Amino acid sequence: MLQKISDLRAEIAALAAENLEQVEAFRIKYLSKKGLVSALMADFRNVPADQKRAVGQAINELKNFATETVNSLRDSLTNKTDNGAGLDLTRTEAPLRHGTRHPLSLVREEIIAIFRRLGFNIAEGPEVEDDWHVFSSLNFAEDHPARDMQDTFFIARNPEVLLRTHTSSVQTRVMEAAEPPIRIICPGRVYRNEAISARAHCFFHQVEALYVDKNVTFADLLQTLQYFAAEMFGGETKIRLRPSYFPFTEPSAEMDISCNICGGKGCAFCKGTGWVEILGCGMVDPNVLKACKIDPEVYSGFALGMGVERIANLKYRVNDLRLFSENDVRFLDEFVGTH
Ligand code: DAH
């Protein structure tokens, strides 16, 4: 009898199943009422009294062993473990690594939110543009250097089709299509044919704002700039305007803010001046309004444009532009929880 039990044990130990039906067949063969283990139990009656103890124990062990074997064969075929290969799929997974929002997205969203509070709506335009929207309508003279091959990426060497070099092209698109009052903000990517370095890249991001209505004055522009600077960099921020030139605005200015790193005292970042430049702006040139069939005798407007990377640089002290497009997770991880 003991020999029979150990033979059966060896047989069960060698069982292998490819599917659940086979496992069920094993269960019936060994463990059901009419199975081989039950048959042993029936024979137990005939075991001599002095062997009953040892045989009874052996049968019980065999029964447990058969039950365990059938269960583990079944488990290995239902998803609980990876076919017995030791991979336990019921374990809790490793902690999830959450992504972060890109610093440029954070800054862009913040700029948009500020202008939205002033009633500006978002407008977008194509990145592949034509000369009219990027240059001609914006009062760029035929021989303006910005049209030059060195600055502008042309598509298929066609001087008419190009990658926009600034988001000012969206101004024209909106003014052509809508009647004033117009109050828009245009975020987007722009391209320039520059050698890539820490300070220049062949693409970057801008946000443009345009307000056209009756009686829009330079005072409206100034108020908007002051509000923007205070919201973006804190209430203590001072602004100053320096006269400048853009073909599409007259008069034109560049805006500096008091250096937000040294608070205006002068440091390496602001090169000791206490001021840092952040955007260009001005009153929309009457020629631009005319090009878009808006009567400059009735309407006036202001426009401004800024680089998102520039603002991010000031806010987060990122001074190598290349970091923004390399997507090194060690860099991106620094912005976890920023918003
Ligand atoms: N388009 C200018 C640039 O790319 C930025 C700019 C300056 C936009 C003055 C404006 C503006 O709307 O009024 O450098």
Side-chain angles (χ1 to χ4, degrees):
M1 182 89 173
L2 283 172
Q3 184 56 45
K4 217 170 162 187
I5 293 172
S6 87
D7 288 351
L8 258 185
R9 192 187 162 98
E11 191 181 314
I12 292 168
L15 289 181
E18 271 165 25
N19 53 45
L20 289 171
E21 286 83 69
Q22 285 178 357
V23 177
E24 181 59 7
F26 292 151
R27 191 192 65 76
I28 292 167
K29 178 170 176 195
Y30 297 101
L31 290 164
S32 68
K33 280 207 182 101
K34 292 184 181 157
L36 294 172
V37 176
S38 305
L40 284 176
M41 287 185 173
D43 277 355
F44 188 64
R45 265 183 281 130
N46 309 324
V47 173
D50 61 334
Q51 289 177 26
K52 271 203 168 13
R53 199 185 147 91
V55 172
Q57 211 178 341
I59 294 179
N60 266 338
E61 272 169 24
L62 180 70
K63 189 179 173 195
N64 290 342
F65 180 68
T67 311
E68 268 168 34
T69 306
V70 167
N71 285 347
S72 81
L73 284 174
R74 187 185 299 120
D75 283 351
S76 71
L77 290 167
T78 50
N79 287 334
K80 286 196 175 165
T81 58
D82 178 30
N83 252 346
L87 183 61
D88 182 357
L89 298 180
T90 63
R91 283 181 57 173
T92 10
E93 59 196 325
L96 259 189
R97 208 189 136 91
H98 290 287
T100 58
R101 297 185 66 205
H102 194 281
L104 292 181
S105 304
L106 294 172
V107 171
R108 186 193 55 217
E109 293 310 314
E110 203 174 336
I111 299 170
I112 290 173
I114 295 169
F115 279 92
R116 270 191 179 283
R117 292 201 281 281
L118 292 172
F120 285 74
N121 288 321
I122 296 179
E124 284 179 335
E127 293 181 8
V128 179
E129 263 292 6
D130 50 40
D131 177 277
W132 168 254
H133 290 98
V134 177
F135 296 128
S136 298
S137 63
L138 292 165
N139 204 30
F140 279 80
E142 273 307 317
D143 54 357
H144 194 284
R147 295 172 182 248
D148 201 291
M149 279 287 194
Q150 268 122 50
D151 287 314
T152 308
F153 286 115
F154 292 91
I155 306 280
R157 295 182 202 201
N158 179 348
E160 281 303 314
V161 187
L162 45 100
L163 293 178
R164 67 181 179 194
T165 55
H166 55 182
T167 44
S168 306
S169 53
V170 186
Q171 287 190 23
T172 308
R173 289 200 170 266
V174 172
M175 285 193 282
E176 282 172 338
E179 299 272 306
I182 292 169
R183 214 183 295 163
I184 51 155
I185 178 144
C186 326
R189 182 174 282 185
V190 301
Y191 302 83
R192 288 187 198 174
N193 194 355
E194 306 236 12
I196 297 171
S197 71
R199 317 195 102 247
H201 212 297
C202 58
F203 68 83
F204 56 99
H205 301 80
Q206 290 189 331
V207 176
E208 185 94 7
L210 172 73
Y211 178 31
V212 181
D213 200 353
K214 288 178 181 152
N215 303 320
V216 176
T217 68
F218 204 90
D220 297 312
L221 171 60
L222 196 59
Q223 276 299 314
T224 307
L225 293 172
Q226 253 156 3
Y227 178 79
F228 171 72
E231 291 290 294
M232 191 78 201
F233 296 102
E236 68 292 347
T237 311
K238 293 199 217 37
I239 68 168
R240 78 173 182 190
L241 293 181
R242 283 177 291 105
S244 185
Y245 172 77
F246 300 103
F248 36 90
T249 45
E250 182 58 36
S252 304
E254 262 161 307
M255 179 174 99
D256 298 339
I257 57 164
S258 49
C259 176
N260 72 328
I261 289 165
C262 61
K265 287 190 211 73
C267 66
F269 189 81
C270 59
K271 301 198 182 75
T273 63
W275 297 95
V276 286
E277 183 192 322
I278 65 161
L279 55 78
C281 57
M283 301 305 293
V284 180
D285 194 295
N287 285 338
V288 175
L289 295 175
K290 267 189 235 154
C292 300
K293 312 230 164 16
I294 291 176
D295 185 352
E297 300 296 326
V298 181
Y299 293 105
S300 56
F302 71 69
L304 60 98
M306 69 186 94
V308 179
E309 280 82 351
R310 174 83 183 140
I311 309 283
N313 177 0
L314 277 171
K315 267 207 100 108
Y316 300 122
R317 325 268 149 95
V318 179
N319 45 25
D320 187 334
L321 271 178
R322 292 168 293 194
L323 288 167
F324 289 123
S325 47
E326 281 166 356
N327 285 336
D328 183 331
V329 283
R330 289 168 301 181
F331 169 70
L332 298 176
D333 267 353
E334 295 191 20
F335 301 91
V336 175
T338 314
H339 265 244

